[in-house]
Coordinates of all heavy atoms in Angstrom, one line a residue:
V553 N 7.1 6.7 8.0 CA 6.2 7.4 7.1 C 6.5 8.9 7.2 O 6.3 9.5 8.3 CB 4.8 7.1 7.5 CG1 3.8 7.9 6.6 CG2 4.5 5.6 7.4
T554 N 7.0 9.5 6.1 CA 7.3 10.9 6.1 C 6.4 11.7 5.1 O 6.4 12.9 5.0 CB 8.7 11.2 5.7 OG1 9.0 10.6 4.4 CG2 9.7 10.5 6.7
K555 N 5.6 10.9 4.3 CA 4.6 11.5 3.4 C 3.3 10.8 3.5 O 3.2 9.7 3.9 CB 5.1 11.3 1.9 CG 6.4 12.1 1.7 CD 6.9 11.9 0.2 CE 8.2 12.6 0.0 NZ 8.8 12.4 -1.3
D556 N 2.2 11.5 3.1 CA 0.9 10.9 3.1 C 0.8 9.6 2.4 O 1.5 9.4 1.4 CB -0.1 11.9 2.5 CG -0.4 13.1 3.4 OD1 0.1 13.2 4.5 OD2 -1.1 14.1 2.9
V557 N 0.0 8.7 3.0 CA -0.2 7.3 2.5 C -1.6 7.3 1.9 O -2.5 7.5 2.6 CB 0.0 6.3 3.6 CG1 -0.3 4.9 3.1 CG2 1.4 6.4 4.2
P558 N -1.7 6.9 0.6 CA -3.0 6.8 0.0 C -3.9 5.7 0.6 O -3.3 4.7 1.2 CB -2.7 6.5 -1.5 CG -1.2 6.7 -1.7 CD -0.6 6.6 -0.4
D559 N -5.2 5.8 0.4 CA -6.1 4.7 0.8 C -5.6 3.4 0.1 O -5.2 3.4 -1.0 CB -7.5 5.1 0.3 CG -8.1 6.3 1.0 OD1 -7.6 6.8 2.0 OD2 -9.2 6.7 0.5
F560 N -5.7 2.3 0.9 CA -5.4 1.0 0.4 C -4.0 0.7 0.1 O -3.6 -0.3 -0.5 CB -6.3 0.6 -0.8 CG -7.8 0.6 -0.4 CD1 -8.6 1.6 -0.9 CD2 -8.4 -0.4 0.3 CE1 -10.0 1.7 -0.6 CE2 -9.7 -0.4 0.6 CZ -10.5 0.7 0.1
A561 N -3.1 1.7 0.3 CA -1.7 1.5 -0.1 C -0.9 0.6 0.9 O -1.2 0.6 2.1 CB -1.0 2.8 -0.1
L562 N 0.0 -0.2 0.4 CA 1.0 -1.0 1.2 C 2.3 -0.2 1.1 O 2.8 -0.1 0.0 CB 1.1 -2.4 0.7 CG 2.2 -3.2 1.2 CD1 2.1 -3.4 2.8 CD2 2.3 -4.6 0.5
V563 N 2.8 0.3 2.3 CA 4.0 1.0 2.3 C 5.0 0.3 3.2 O 4.7 -0.2 4.2 CB 3.9 2.5 2.7 CG1 2.9 3.3 1.7 CG2 3.3 2.7 4.1
V564 N 6.3 0.4 2.7 CA 7.4 -0.3 3.4 C 8.6 0.6 3.4 O 8.8 1.5 2.5 CB 7.8 -1.7 2.8 CG1 6.5 -2.6 2.8 CG2 8.4 -1.5 1.5
G565 N 9.6 0.4 4.3 CA 10.9 1.0 4.2 C 11.1 2.3 4.9 O 10.2 2.8 5.6
V566 N 12.3 2.8 4.8 CA 12.8 4.1 5.4 C 13.4 4.9 4.3 O 14.5 4.6 3.9 CB 13.8 3.8 6.5 CG1 14.2 5.1 7.2 CG2 13.2 2.8 7.6
P567 N 12.8 6.0 3.9 CA 11.4 6.4 4.2 C 10.4 5.4 3.5 O 10.7 4.8 2.5 CB 11.3 7.8 3.6 CG 12.3 7.8 2.5 CD 13.4 6.9 2.9
A568 N 9.2 5.4 4.0 CA 8.2 4.5 3.5 C 7.8 4.9 2.0 O 7.7 6.0 1.7 CB 6.9 4.5 4.4
R569 N 7.7 3.8 1.2 CA 7.2 4.0 -0.2 C 6.2 2.9 -0.5 O 6.2 1.8 0.1 CB 8.4 3.9 -1.1 CG 9.1 2.6 -1.1 CD 10.5 2.6 -1.6 NE 11.1 1.3 -1.6 CZ 11.5 0.7 -0.5 NH1 11.3 1.2 0.7 NH2 12.0 -0.5 -0.5
R570 N 5.3 3.3 -1.4 CA 4.3 2.3 -1.8 C 4.9 1.2 -2.7 O 5.6 1.5 -3.6 CB 3.1 3.0 -2.6 CG 1.9 2.0 -2.7 CD 0.8 2.7 -3.5 NE 1.0 2.9 -4.9 CZ 0.9 2.0 -5.8 NH1 0.6 0.7 -5.5 NH2 1.2 2.2 -7.1
V571 N 4.6 0.0 -2.3 CA 5.0 -1.2 -3.0 C 3.9 -2.0 -3.6 O 4.1 -3.1 -4.2 CB 6.0 -2.1 -2.2 CG1 7.3 -1.3 -1.9 CG2 5.3 -2.6 -1.0
G572 N 2.7 -1.7 -3.2 CA 1.5 -2.4 -3.7 C 0.2 -1.8 -3.0 O 0.2 -0.7 -2.5
W573 N -0.8 -2.6 -3.2 CA -2.1 -2.3 -2.6 C -2.6 -3.4 -1.7 O -2.2 -4.6 -1.9 CB -3.2 -2.1 -3.7 CG -2.9 -1.0 -4.7 CD1 -2.5 -1.2 -6.0 CD2 -2.9 0.4 -4.5 NE1 -2.4 0.0 -6.7 CE2 -2.6 1.0 -5.8 CE3 -3.2 1.2 -3.4 CZ2 -2.6 2.4 -5.9 CZ3 -3.2 2.5 -3.6 CH2 -2.9 3.1 -4.8
V574 N -3.4 -3.1 -0.7 CA -4.0 -4.1 0.1 C -5.5 -3.8 0.2 O -6.0 -2.7 0.0 CB -3.5 -4.0 1.6 CG1 -2.0 -4.5 1.6 CG2 -3.6 -2.7 2.2
G575 N -6.3 -4.9 0.4 CA -7.7 -4.7 0.5 C -8.2 -4.6 2.0 O -7.3 -4.5 2.9
R576 N -9.4 -4.5 2.2 CA -10.0 -4.4 3.6 C -9.6 -5.5 4.5 O -9.5 -5.3 5.7 CB -11.5 -4.3 3.5 CG -12.0 -3.0 2.9 CD -13.5 -2.9 2.7 NE -13.9 -1.7 2.0 CZ -14.3 -0.6 2.6 NH1 -14.4 -0.5 3.9 NH2 -14.7 0.4 1.9
A577 N -9.2 -6.7 3.9 CA -8.8 -7.8 4.8 C -7.3 -7.7 5.1 O -6.8 -8.5 5.9 CB -9.1 -9.1 4.0
G578 N -6.6 -6.7 4.5 CA -5.2 -6.6 4.8 C -4.2 -7.3 3.9 O -3.0 -7.2 4.0
H579 N -4.8 -8.2 3.1 CA -3.9 -9.0 2.2 C -3.5 -8.2 1.0 O -4.3 -7.4 0.4 CB -4.7 -10.3 1.7 CG -5.0 -11.2 2.8 ND1 -4.2 -12.4 3.0 CD2 -5.9 -11.3 3.8 CE1 -4.7 -13.0 4.0 NE2 -5.7 -12.4 4.5
P580 N -2.3 -8.4 0.5 CA -1.8 -7.7 -0.7 C -2.8 -8.1 -1.9 O -3.1 -9.3 -2.0 CB -0.4 -8.3 -1.0 CG 0.1 -8.7 0.4 CD -1.2 -9.2 1.1
L581 N -3.1 -7.1 -2.7 CA -4.0 -7.4 -3.8 C -3.3 -7.9 -5.0 O -2.1 -7.6 -5.2 CB -4.8 -6.1 -4.2 CG -5.7 -5.5 -3.1 CD1 -6.3 -4.2 -3.6 CD2 -6.7 -6.5 -2.6
Q582 N -3.9 -8.7 -5.8 CA -3.3 -9.2 -7.1 C -4.0 -8.5 -8.3 O -5.2 -8.3 -8.3 CB -3.6 -10.7 -7.1 CG -3.0 -11.5 -6.0 CD -3.5 -12.9 -5.9 OE1 -4.4 -13.3 -6.5 NE2 -2.8 -13.7 -5.1
P583 N -3.1 -8.1 -9.3 CA -3.7 -7.5 -10.4 C -4.6 -8.5 -11.2 O -4.2 -9.6 -11.4 CB -2.5 -7.1 -11.2 CG -1.4 -8.0 -10.8 CD -1.7 -8.3 -9.3
K584 N -5.7 -8.0 -11.7 CA -6.6 -8.8 -12.5 C -6.5 -8.4 -14.0 O -6.0 -9.1 -14.8 CB -8.0 -8.7 -11.9 CG -9.0 -9.6 -12.5 CD -10.3 -9.6 -11.8 CE -11.4 -10.4 -12.5 NZ -12.7 -10.3 -12.0

């Protein structure tokens, strides 16, 4: 992680980048 991570973001990689969102349970969220 080299940049700030938004609330609820799922970040991966080097450098980390957002690839999705997660909820309070930690599971990836699904678009509704």
Side-chain angles (χ1 to χ4, degrees):
V553 177
T554 59
K555 295 181 180 174
D556 290 351
V557 175
D559 294 349
F560 299 105
L562 169 60
V563 298
V564 303
V566 178
R569 66 200 177 286
R570 190 178 73 78
V571 296
W573 299 111
V574 292
R576 290 175 187 263
H579 292 261
L581 299 179
Q582 300 170 344
K584 188 173 172 185

